Amino acid sequence: MFVTDTLTAPDADGARYEADRLDATAAWVARHRPPGSGALAELGAKDGALTGRLLRAGYTVHAAEPDPALRQRLRSAFGRRTRLRLSAADLSAPPPVRRRFGAVLLIEALQAGQDLELLHALPTDLLFVALAPSALDGRLRPWMSAQQGWLLVEEIDLAAPRAATRRPAPGSRGVLLRRSL
């Protein structure tokens, strides 16, 4: 299961930072997978801030959120406009139940200690991953170098680090991976 974390800060600067980060993420997805090019699976959708942007842009979104309170907020906000899944396991069920997605989004959703080999089971050939630069360098980059199933297509800054008096934001870096096997 993918556990979520939040980077939102309680102050106005934090809200602006978060909105800018999510807008940049939605634009990044749109550059590579325009609406109508296949359903998206968003793992760790949290309260649906990115989900809403994608739905408004015309995407079909299958959101997975393991936290019951956040999942309920998703249901309240979007109802039938998005398909809610309980976990990543629901998205990677064995055939013939498995559905292929145009892309899977793991936006700030990978956590320390998660087995990254689970990424191989995701039912897509295109994987958008966004993490704090330190997490990307410390966890994902070493895994990417050691495995052979995914190729790096693009790496992009989605949000610069932000210093704040209440809560600093670490920044967000996106990597787009394409299945190679």
Side-chain angles (χ1 to χ4, degrees):
M1 181 181 314
F2 292 88
V3 180
T4 62
D5 186 21
T6 181
L7 298 178
T8 57
D11 56 15
D13 287 340
R16 179 78 262 152
Y17 167 87
E18 189 67 2
D20 290 347
R21 181 183 70 80
L22 292 167
D23 289 344
T25 302
W28 176 46
V29 171
R31 272 200 339 271
H32 294 280
R33 293 299 299 191
S37 61
L40 303 177
E42 182 187 6
L43 303 184
K46 302 176 192 69
D47 64 0
L50 179 59
T51 309
R53 283 167 171 79
L54 296 170
L55 288 169
R56 285 188 297 276
Y59 289 95
T60 299
V61 180
H62 294 253
E65 177 49 57
D67 180 273
L70 290 174
R71 194 168 49 250
Q72 183 54 46
R73 286 171 62 183
L74 273 168
R75 275 193 183 98
S76 296
F78 304 111
R80 296 181 187 267
R81 293 181 58 208
T82 185
R83 302 228 14 217
L84 294 173
R85 309 286 181 132
L86 299 180
S87 70
D90 294 332
L91 295 172
S92 58
V97 176
R98 180 188 296 195
R99 175 190 173 137
R100 297 290 296 172
F101 292 95
V104 170
L105 286 62
L106 292 162
I107 308 303
E108 312 297 342
L110 291 176
Q111 300 299 306
Q114 286 179 314
D115 182 2
L116 296 180
E117 290 302 307
L118 293 172
L119 300 181
H120 294 299
L122 295 175
T124 190
D125 292 330
L126 201 59
L127 184 59
F128 290 85
V129 180
L131 294 167
S134 61
L136 176 69
D137 291 340
R139 285 205 65 231
L140 190 62
R141 201 174 305 284
W143 176 82
M144 288 170 31
S145 296
Q147 60 81 42
Q148 297 179 2
W150 295 94
L151 298 174
L152 178 65
V153 173
E154 180 181 46
E155 188 167 333
I156 184 173
D157 284 322
L158 298 169
R162 178 184 70 85
T165 55
R166 292 187 185 180
R167 185 175 178 186
S172 183
R173 187 142 185 88
V175 293
L176 177 60
L177 304 175
R178 183 174 310 279
R179 193 178 300 275
S180 64
L181 301 175

